Amino acid sequence: MRSNGRNAADQLRPIKITTNTNKYAEGSVFIEVGDTKVICTATVDEKVPAFMKGQGKGWVTAEYSMLPRATQSRNQRESARGKLSGRTMEIQRLIGRALRSVVDLQALGERTITIDCDVIQADGGTRTTSISGAFVAMAIAINKIVQQHNLARFPISDFLASVSVGVVSEKPMLDLNYDEDSKAKVDMNVVMTGNGKFVEVQGTGEESPFSREEMNELLKLAEQGIAEIIQIQKDALGEIALKISSGQAGASV
Amino acid sequence: MRSNGRNAADQLRPIKITTNTNKYAEGSVFIEVGDTKVICTATVDEKVPAFMKGQGKGWVTAEYSMLPRATQSRNQRESARGKLSGRTMEIQRLIGRALRSVVDLQALGERTITIDCDVIQADGGTRTTSISGAFVAMAIAINKIVQQHNLARFPISDFLASVSVGVVSEKPMLDLNYDEDSKAKVDMNVVMTGNGKFVEVQGTGEESPFSREEMNELLKLAEQGIAEIIQIQKDALGEIALKISSGQAGASV
Amino acid sequence: MRSNGRNAADQLRPIKITTNTNKYAEGSVFIEVGDTKVICTATVDEKVPAFMKGQGKGWVTAEYSMLPRATQSRNQRESARGKLSGRTMEIQRLIGRALRSVVDLQALGERTITIDCDVIQADGGTRTTSISGAFVAMAIAINKIVQQHNLARFPISDFLASVSVGVVSEKPMLDLNYDEDSKAKVDMNVVMTGNGKFVEVQGTGEESPFSREEMNELLKLAEQGIAEIIQIQKDALGEIALKISSGQAGASV
Amino acid sequence: MRSNGRNAADQLRPIKITTNTNKYAEGSVFIEVGDTKVICTATVDEKVPAFMKGQGKGWVTAEYSMLPRATQSRNQRESARGKLSGRTMEIQRLIGRALRSVVDLQALGERTITIDCDVIQADGGTRTTSISGAFVAMAIAINKIVQQHNLARFPISDFLASVSVGVVSEKPMLDLNYDEDSKAKVDMNVVMTGNGKFVEVQGTGEESPFSREEMNELLKLAEQGIAEIIQIQKDALGEIALKISSGQAGASV
Amino acid sequence: MRSNGRNAADQLRPIKITTNTNKYAEGSVFIEVGDTKVICTATVDEKVPAFMKGQGKGWVTAEYSMLPRATQSRNQRESARGKLSGRTMEIQRLIGRALRSVVDLQALGERTITIDCDVIQADGGTRTTSISGAFVAMAIAINKIVQQHNLARFPISDFLASVSVGVVSEKPMLDLNYDEDSKAKVDMNVVMTGNGKFVEVQGTGEESPFSREEMNELLKLAEQGIAEIIQIQKDALGEIALKISSGQAGASV
Amino acid sequence: MRSNGRNAADQLRPIKITTNTNKYAEGSVFIEVGDTKVICTATVDEKVPAFMKGQGKGWVTAEYSMLPRATQSRNQRESARGKLSGRTMEIQRLIGRALRSVVDLQALGERTITIDCDVIQADGGTRTTSISGAFVAMAIAINKIVQQHNLARFPISDFLASVSVGVVSEKPMLDLNYDEDSKAKVDMNVVMTGNGKFVEVQGTGEESPFSREEMNELLKLAEQGIAEIIQIQKDALGEIALKISSGQAGASV
C-alpha cells in the first residue's frame, strides 16, 4: 500500500491543475501532485537576454524556489544566505532546458518567457511537478502572445511533462513521494514530449548502480505516467491544447 | 467608489483567513485582504539565537518575501541578486518587533518562533496583511507549544493586527489598495493591540508633510479598522482566541 | 537629573553645528548633539539615477554608517561583513525620504545630491542627529548649485529637523541619550518641517504598547524640540537660511 | 574523419593518465583525453563534515574548476565573480555522487576525501574526463589510507569511469570533442562501474527530443567506451587495481 | 614652492596629533598631516583569533577605510559594494604587520588589539599617516592594559612611524601630498622604528624604473622624516613615551 | 646545504620555462622554479577597460590563483568562499603593475592583455615566479599582436624578472623556498628590468626590523639572481628576445 491511497507501483498520485490563479501573470497555474504543491507563473518580456540579441529568436528561462516551510523542517531562505544552492541552480537549469525543447523560438519572436516555479509544499517530485505545471503556464502565456501579436504559427511544437521513477525495495515504482524517494536505491527523473520522445533522462544510482534491465523498466513506467499527465494538462488547457496539437495559431476559431 | 466594491473611506477590503493550510508547519494561515494574498507559517525551534541564550526567555522573529510575480511586473528574486533589499529588511524587522510586543517571552520559554510571510499576490498593504496573518499563525503554533509542554500561562498577552491608512485626494482613507497607495500623499502603517494601544505607528509624508489634525484622523480610521480585523482573527482562531483573552492556558477545557 | 547636565524632561542636549569642515565636499557639517557626533557631507552629481532619467527632476539620496568604535564596544564593519545591516538600510532610507520632502526636485534640475552621514561617536539619536545635520549640509550644497547655475527659485521649500522622544520610567522625555533610550518603553523618532508639519513619525512600543495620550505628549515634546533645533540650523546657515525662508534664490543679494 | 585522427564513431580519443604528479597530495593524476587536460588531486582529511559526524562512516566530495584560459576565449574566474556558476555546481555534485557510488564509506572510516578536478585545457568532455581521472586519484589516496591505518577491507567496491556520447549529424558517436559537442542534437553523459552497471545517465535533447532506440544505441557506445577507459585506469593503477578487483586490502602482498 | 607652505624637498607637512578623542575606545588619536586627517582608535579584546589560541601570545590587527567624501570626488562605500577593494586589504595588512613588528606579543598576553584607521580627509599619504597615528593609539591602549593587569614589562619594544617619499620632477621629495603623488615617477612608503631600522620598504616605479642611487636618496629622506615624526609622537604620548623608551612598565612612577 | 641541491646562499633553484603550452592562449608558459610550478597564459582582448577608453593606449592586467592542493595542506577555493583574499589581491596588483612598467602602452594600442598566473604547486616564491613567467607569456602574446597588426615599434621596452631574497639564520639568501621563507626574519621581493633598474622593492621585517646594510646585501643578491633569470627568459623567447632588445618590431626578419 503506497502513499495517497495508491495500490499499484505504476499509479500516479492524484493531480490537480488550476489555471489563471494569479491576477498579474500572463500565464499561471497552481499544480498539486499529491501533497506536492507548486505555483507556476509565466512572465512575458518583450526583449531577449544580451546573448540572444539580434537573432530574431525568443528565449525561455525558469527559476525555482521553495518556501522555507515547504518541507518537514524549515529551510533557510537562499536570499538570506545570499546565494542559490547547487540543487536550486541544477533544477532551474533543467526546467528551462526542458521547456525550450518544445518551443519554436523562431516563431516566438524576440521575447523572453520567464517561468517561476515556487514550491509551496514539498512531498517528493518537486522538480518534475514544476516542469509539468510550468508547461501549462507557459502555454497560456504563449497563447496570449499569439493572440496579441497575430502569430502565424503556434510556437509550441509538442506537449511536455515530467515524472520521477525509482527502485524502492527492489521494485520499480512510478511517481515517488518523499518517503519513497528517501528509500529509493535508484532515482530517475524523466521529461518526455507528447509524441513519446525523451527530452531529459537523469538517472542516479548513488546508493547502488543499476542494470540496463532496471533502466528499461523505469523508462517504461515513466512513459506511461507522462502520457497520463499530458492528458490532464490537455484538460486544463482546453482550446489551447488543440492549438498545440494542430500547430495552428488559430485552431480554436 | 473605491476598489473591491467599497463605497466608504472607512471601509476595509473583504478579509479571509484560512488556517492550517500547510501540512508541516506548527502554525499556518492563508490570509487574503482584497487581492493581497499572503501565506504565513510559524515554525517552532526548541532553542534560541546566541544573543538570547541562558536568559530563560524565548524569541520571535519574522521573514518576509514576495514571489517574483506577486506584482504587476516581475521582480527579480532577492536570492538571485544575492541580497535582501532595504525594503524587505525593514518590513521583516517591523513584523518581528510587532509580534514580540504581545508575546510573554518569559512564559514562552527558551524556544524560537519564526514566522514566514510569503506574499503570493500583492495589491497594497502587504506588510500590514502579513502582520495580521502572522499573529494568527503564531497563536496556533504557540497553542501547540502550550499543549505539548503544559505551559501554565498562555504566553500571548493580547491580540495584534495592522492596517494601512493614508490621505488620498485630500481625504483620509482606510486600507489602501495599490492604486490608492500610489496616489496617497501621506501613508501610515499602524499596528495595534486588542485593547486599543499602539505598537507601531509609521507615518510618512514624503510627497507632502502632514498636520497634527490629519494624523489624528488617520489614527482614528486605523483604530476602527484594526478592531474589525481583530474580530476576524478571533473567528479564525476559535477556542485559541478564548485562551488569549483569558490569559489562561487551559481556557478551552 | 538627566545626562549632559539636563534638569528637565523637555530639554535638548547641547547642540553644535560646524559648517564647511571638509575641503572637497559641496556641503559639509560636523554636528554634535551631546556626545553624539556625525560628519555630514553633501556631494553634487550632475546626473540622476536611471529610474529618474528624462523627467527634468533631481534626486536626493543618503547613506549612513558608523565607525566601528563609535559605540561602547566595537562593531564589525559592514564592508568586512560584505553587506549592510537592516538597521543601516532602514536609517538611510529614512534620511533620504525626509530630505526629499522639503526639496523641490523640479527646481533642482537633473542632478543628484548624495548626503553621507558618518557617525564618529554614538550616544543615542544618531539617526535624528544625522537628519538635522544632513539638512544643513544639503542646504549649503544646494546654495552652491543655485549660484553656479543661476537657478530662479531656491529649491528648498522649508527647514527640516528631527529629534527622538520616548517614555522613560513612565515619563515622556525629549532627546534621549543612549542610556535613556535603552530603558525607554516607547521610542519615537519624529521629523518635522519649519512650519510645524510632520514628515515622518516612527513610534515603537516593542516593550509596551502605548496609548493615544502618551503619543500626544510625545509629539508635543518633539514639536518643541524640533523648533529649537531649526533655530540652531538657521544660525549655522546664516544668509542661506534667508533664502530658504523666502524661497528666493537671490535673497542674500 | 573525426578529431584527433579518429576514423570511427565508436573510437575514443587517445587517453593518457600520469599518476603522482603533485608532491603534496595524497593522490594525484594528470589525465589527458585528446586535448582535454585535467589535474585531479585527492586530499585526505581525518574528519567528516558536520552532517556525517558520529556515524562511523567516511565521506567523498569533489570540486571542479576551469582555468580562465582553458577555453577558446577567456572565462572570468568564479572567484572574481564571487560565486560558482550553476554549471560548476552541477558538475561537482555529479562527480562527488559518482565517486561515492563505488566507495564503501563504512570501510573508509570517519575521514573525508576531497577530489579537486582542475581543467587546464578544455576540448569537450571535461566532466567525464574529470570523473575518470578522479577515480584514479582517489584510489591512490585510499590505498595510502589502507596502508597507514591497516584497513581490513579495501574500501572501493568497483572501478568507475565516464564518457560522453551524442547524436551528431544523425549519427550516434562516442567521446565527443568540443566541435562535435556543439553540433550534437542529443548529448549524454554516462558513468558506469567495472561490472557494467550504470551510476549516472544524464541525457539531454534540448535541440531535439530523442527516441528509445537512439538512447539504446548511445548507451551501447558508452558501455564499450567505458570498458576501454577502465582498462587504461587499471594500467595506471598497477597493483592498486588488483586490490580493487579482489576487494582485499593486502592483495598486493 | 611645495604644498602647505613648504619650501624644501626634505620638509614634512605640519603634523598634529590629538589624543583621547573618542569617549569609548581604549586608545584614540586624531592625526592631521597637512590636509590628510585620520581617526585612529584602538580596541582591546580579551581574547585572540582562533589561529593564535593557546600560545599565550597576543595579536594586533588593523582595519582601514575612507569616508566616501574624503576625496576630491565621492567614492562608493565598500559596504555598499559588498566587498573590500584590493587597495584597502593591502593597506590594512600593511598597517597590522607594521604595528606587530614593535609589539612584544608574548608580553601582551592573550588579548587582541584592533586598530581602526578611518580617513576623514585624504590629501596623499593616508597609509603612512594611518601607521603613525595608529602607533600612538595603540600605545595608549597598551598602557591601559599594562596598568589594569600590572604587566611586568611594557610590551612595546620601540617607536614606529611611517612616511612617503617619491621622485617628483626628477627630484627626490619627502612627504608627498596628493598632487605631488600623482606626478611622482617613483613612489615609496617606508616604515621605520625609533632606532632607525626598517620595518617595511615598498617602492614602486610603475611609471619608470628607478636606480640604486635614487633608492638611496629616498631612503635617506625617509629616515630623516620618520625621526621627526617620532619626536611628535613622543610629545603626544608624554609619560607613556618614557615607558616605551625604557621598556619598563612602571617607568612613570 | 640548501634545498634543491644548492650549496651557496647566492644560488638560484633550477629554472625551467616551457613556452606555448596552451592551445588557445595568445601566449602561454609553464614555469618551474624548483618545486614551484606556475601556468601563465596571456589573453589579448581588442578593447580596453572603461577607465582607459579613448586614450589610444593599451592596458595590461594580471590575475593570480593557487589550485587548492598547490600547498602542503589543502586551501579552500576563493570561488567557494565567494571572495578573493587580501593576499591574492595584493599579488595580482603587484604582477600587473610590474608588467606595465616595461610595456609601452601607447605603442600597444587600444587592447588589453590579461595574464593569468595559476600556481599548480607552491614551494615558496610563487609571486616572483609568476612575474618571471608572466613576462615571457606576455612577450609571446605581444609578438603575435605586432605581427598581426604590423606594429611599427615592439611595445616592450625592457626585460623584467623577479626573485625573492631574505635573511635566514642571520644570513642573506637568494631565492628562498618555502622552508627557508618560513624561517626568514626579513623577506624581500624584488622586481627589476633588464638594464638593472628597480620596478618594485617590497621588504618586510615583521619578525625583526632590518638595517640599511642588510638591505644593501639583499638588493645585491637580487640583482645578481634577476640577471640570471633574464638570461633564461631570453633563451626561452629566442627571436622575440632580439626584438625586445632592439626595440624593433621586425628584428627577426
Side-chain angles (χ1 to χ4, degrees), chain E residues 184-198:
Chain E
K185 291 168 80 177
V186 181
D187 175 33
M188 190 173 290
N189 293 300
V190 181
V191 186
M192 295 181 78
T193 60
N195 70 358
K197 291 209 164 175
F198 297 102

Side-chain angles (χ1 to χ4, degrees), chain B residues 77-89:
Chain B
R77 286 175 196 270
E78 293 182 313
S79 56
R81 275 194 297 149
K83 59 177 177 181
L84 300 178
S85 70
R87 180 184 174 275
T88 291
M89 291 220 231

Side-chain angles (χ1 to χ4, degrees), chain C residues 128 131-132 159-163 190-193 226 229-230 233:
Chain C
T128 53
I131 290 170
S132 299
F159 289 87
L160 182 94
S162 177
V163 83
V190 181
V191 186
M192 296 182 77
T193 60
I226 286 172
I229 298 170
I230 286 177
Q233 289 177 326

Side-chain angles (χ1 to χ4, degrees), chain D residues 21-27 35 37 39 41-44 63-65 67-74 76-84 92 114-118 120-124 178, chain F residues 21-27 35 37 39 41-44 63-65 67-74 76-84 92 114-118 120-124 178:
Chain D
T21 50
N22 177 299
K23 80 182 263 204
Y24 305 119
E26 283 75 22
D35 285 335
K37 303 181 182 189
I39 294 176
T41 58
T43 296
V44 177
E63 296 196 2
Y64 168 96
S65 186
L67 294 202
R69 202 55 200 278
T71 47
Q72 197 94 29
S73 60
R74 187 178 182 274
Q76 200 195 357
R77 285 174 197 271
E78 294 183 313
S79 57
R81 274 194 298 150
K83 58 179 177 179
L84 301 178
Q92 57 194 23
T114 303
I115 314 290
D116 287 290
C117 299
D118 285 273
I120 299 308
Q121 194 171 273
D123 188 25
Y178 179 74
Chain F
T21 51
N22 177 297
K23 80 182 263 204
Y24 305 119
E26 283 74 21
D35 284 336
K37 303 179 182 190
I39 294 176
T41 58
T43 296
V44 178
E63 296 196 2
Y64 168 95
S65 186
L67 294 203
R69 202 55 199 278
T71 48
Q72 198 95 26
S73 60
R74 186 178 182 273
Q76 201 195 354
R77 287 174 195 270
E78 294 182 313
S79 57
R81 275 195 297 151
K83 58 178 178 181
L84 300 179
Q92 56 195 23
T114 304
I115 313 290
D116 286 291
C117 300
D118 285 273
I120 299 306
Q121 196 170 273
D123 188 26
Y178 179 76

Side-chain angles (χ1 to χ4, degrees), chain A residues 21-26 35 39 41-43 63 65 67-72 74 77-79 82 84 114 116 118 120-123, chain B residues 21-26 35 39 41-43 63 65 67-72 74 77-79 82 84 114 116 118 120-123:
Chain A
T21 50
N22 177 299
K23 80 182 265 205
Y24 305 119
E26 284 73 23
D35 285 335
I39 294 175
T41 57
T43 296
E63 296 195 2
S65 186
L67 295 202
R69 202 54 199 278
T71 47
Q72 198 94 27
R74 186 177 183 274
R77 286 175 197 270
E78 294 182 313
S79 56
L84 301 178
T114 304
D116 286 291
D118 284 274
I120 299 306
Q121 195 170 273
D123 188 25
Chain B
T21 51
N22 177 298
K23 81 182 264 203
Y24 305 117
E26 283 75 23
D35 284 335
I39 294 175
T41 58
T43 296
E63 296 195 2
S65 186
L67 294 202
R69 202 54 200 278
T71 46
Q72 199 94 27
R74 187 176 182 275
R77 286 175 196 270
E78 293 182 313
S79 56
L84 300 178
T114 304
D116 287 290
D118 284 273
I120 299 306
Q121 195 170 271
D123 187 25

Side-chain angles (χ1 to χ4, degrees), chain B:
Chain B
M1 185 68 175
R2 301 176 62 201
S3 79
N4 302 86
R6 290 181 284 173
N7 302 307
D10 66 350
Q11 207 176 342
L12 291 171
R13 289 176 285 179
I15 296 179
K16 189 169 161 200
I17 297 177
T18 313
T19 55
N20 301 314
T21 51
N22 177 298
K23 81 182 264 203
Y24 305 117
E26 283 75 23
S28 60
V29 151
F30 183 51
I31 181 167
E32 298 162 88
V33 173
D35 284 335
T36 292
K37 303 179 183 190
V38 184
I39 294 175
C40 304
T41 58
T43 296
V44 177
D45 198 1
E46 292 290 326
K47 59 176 189 285
V48 288
F51 70 93
M52 290 293 292
K53 258 178 203 156
Q55 306 181 31
K57 291 162 64 178
W59 188 244
V60 175
T61 186
E63 296 195 2
Y64 168 96
S65 186
M66 284 214 215
L67 294 202
R69 202 54 200 278
T71 46
Q72 199 94 27
S73 61
R74 187 176 182 275
N75 286 298
Q76 200 195 355
R77 286 175 196 270
E78 293 182 313
S79 56
R81 275 194 297 149
K83 59 177 177 181
L84 300 178
S85 70
R87 180 184 174 275
T88 291
M89 291 220 231
E90 195 172 310
I91 293 176
Q92 57 195 24
R93 280 159 57 92
L94 168 66
I95 302 173
R97 218 159 53 214
L99 293 172
R100 284 193 296 275
S101 76
V102 291
V103 174
D104 179 340
L105 298 174
Q106 200 75 46
L108 180 59
E110 286 223 354
R111 38 183 74 89
T112 300
I113 302 177
T114 304
I115 313 290
D116 287 290
C117 299
D118 284 273
V119 180
I120 299 306
Q121 195 170 271
D123 187 25
T126 63
R127 81 186 70 187
T128 54
T129 301
S130 292
I131 291 170
S132 300
F135 175 78
V136 178
M138 179 180 76
I140 294 171
I142 283 184
N143 188 49
K144 286 215 183 100
I145 296 171
V146 166
Q147 293 178 331
Q148 279 168 19
H149 298 273
N150 282 312
L151 299 196
R153 252 177 313 151
F154 199 86
I156 294 185
S157 61
D158 204 345
F159 289 87
L160 182 93
S162 178
V163 82
S164 80
V165 286
V167 178
V168 186
S169 320
E170 302 305 317
K171 194 168 169 153
M173 281 190 182
L174 175 65
D175 189 20
L176 313 185
N177 76 349
Y178 179 75
D179 270 357
E180 292 167 338
D181 192 64
S182 328
K183 292 178 296 187
K185 292 168 78 175
V186 181
D187 174 33
M188 190 174 288
N189 292 300
V190 182
V191 185
M192 295 181 77
T193 60
N195 70 358
K197 291 210 164 173
F198 296 102
V199 169
E200 290 272 345
V201 175
Q202 298 198 338
T204 296
E206 179 174 340
E207 295 295 308
S208 102
F210 52 96
S211 67
R212 190 71 169 270
E213 293 66 42
E214 284 172 312
M215 189 168 179
N216 286 340
E217 286 185 74
L218 290 172
L219 291 175
K220 209 177 128 196
L221 279 175
E223 276 176 36
Q224 172 216 314
I226 286 172
E228 290 179 40
I229 297 170
I230 286 178
Q231 192 51 55
I232 295 166
Q233 289 177 326
K234 285 182 176 168
D235 294 347
L237 280 169
E239 283 191 349
I240 299 171
L242 297 179
K243 299 189 194 177
I244 296 171
S245 301
S246 71
Q248 302 301 312
S252 69
V253 203

Side-chain angles (χ1 to χ4, degrees), chain C residues 167-228:
Chain C
V167 178
V168 185
S169 319
E170 302 304 318
K171 192 165 173 158
M173 281 190 182
L174 176 66
D175 189 19
L176 313 185
N177 77 348
Y178 179 74
D179 270 356
E180 292 167 339
D181 191 63
S182 327
K183 292 178 296 187
K185 291 169 80 176
V186 180
D187 175 33
M188 191 173 287
N189 293 300
V190 181
V191 186
M192 296 182 77
T193 60
N195 70 357
K197 292 210 164 174
F198 296 102
V199 167
E200 291 272 345
V201 175
Q202 298 199 340
T204 296
E206 180 174 340
E207 294 296 308
S208 103
F210 52 97
S211 66
R212 190 71 170 271
E213 292 67 41
E214 286 172 312
M215 189 167 179
N216 286 341
E217 286 185 73
L218 291 172
L219 291 175
K220 209 177 128 197
L221 280 175
E223 277 176 36
Q224 172 217 314
I226 286 172
E228 291 179 40

Side-chain angles (χ1 to χ4, degrees), chain F residues 2-246:
Chain F
R2 301 176 62 200
S3 78
N4 301 87
R6 290 181 285 175
N7 303 307
D10 67 349
Q11 206 176 343
L12 292 171
R13 290 176 284 179
I15 298 179
K16 188 171 163 199
I17 296 177
T18 315
T19 56
N20 301 314
T21 51
N22 177 297
K23 80 182 263 204
Y24 305 119
E26 283 74 21
S28 59
V29 151
F30 184 50
I31 180 166
E32 297 162 89
V33 173
D35 284 336
T36 291
K37 303 179 182 190
V38 184
I39 294 176
C40 304
T41 58
T43 296
V44 178
D45 198 0
E46 292 289 326
K47 58 176 189 284
V48 287
F51 70 92
M52 290 294 292
K53 260 181 200 151
Q55 305 180 33
K57 290 162 63 177
W59 189 243
V60 175
T61 185
E63 296 196 2
Y64 168 95
S65 186
M66 282 215 217
L67 294 203
R69 202 55 199 278
T71 48
Q72 198 95 26
S73 60
R74 186 178 182 273
N75 287 298
Q76 201 195 354
R77 287 174 195 270
E78 294 182 313
S79 57
R81 275 195 297 151
K83 58 178 178 181
L84 300 179
S85 70
R87 181 183 173 275
T88 292
M89 291 220 231
E90 196 172 309
I91 293 176
Q92 56 195 23
R93 281 159 57 89
L94 167 66
I95 302 173
R97 217 159 55 217
L99 293 172
R100 284 193 297 274
S101 75
V102 291
V103 174
D104 179 341
L105 298 174
Q106 200 76 46
L108 180 59
E110 286 223 355
R111 39 184 74 90
T112 299
I113 301 177
T114 304
I115 313 290
D116 286 291
C117 300
D118 285 273
V119 179
I120 299 306
Q121 196 170 273
D123 188 26
T126 64
R127 80 186 68 187
T128 53
T129 302
S130 293
I131 291 170
S132 300
F135 175 78
V136 178
M138 179 181 77
I140 294 171
I142 283 183
N143 187 48
K144 286 217 181 99
I145 296 171
V146 166
Q147 293 178 328
Q148 279 168 20
H149 298 274
N150 281 313
L151 299 195
R153 250 178 313 153
F154 198 85
I156 294 184
S157 60
D158 202 346
F159 289 86
L160 182 93
S162 178
V163 82
S164 81
V165 286
V167 177
V168 186
S169 320
E170 302 304 319
K171 191 167 173 156
M173 281 190 182
L174 175 65
D175 189 21
L176 312 186
N177 77 348
Y178 179 76
D179 270 356
E180 292 167 339
D181 191 64
S182 327
K183 292 178 295 186
K185 291 169 81 177
V186 181
D187 175 32
M188 191 174 288
N189 293 300
V190 181
V191 185
M192 294 181 78
T193 60
N195 69 358
K197 292 208 164 176
F198 296 102
V199 168
E200 291 272 344
V201 175
Q202 298 199 341
T204 295
E206 180 175 342
E207 294 297 307
S208 103
F210 52 97
S211 66
R212 191 70 170 273
E213 292 67 41
E214 286 172 311
M215 189 166 177
N216 287 340
E217 285 185 72
L218 290 172
L219 291 174
K220 209 178 128 195
L221 279 176
E223 277 176 36
Q224 172 217 314
I226 285 172
E228 291 180 38
I229 297 170
I230 286 177
Q231 192 50 55
I232 296 166
Q233 290 176 326
K234 285 182 177 168
D235 293 347
L237 281 168
E239 283 193 348
I240 299 172
L242 298 180
K243 300 189 193 176
I244 296 171
S245 301
S246 70

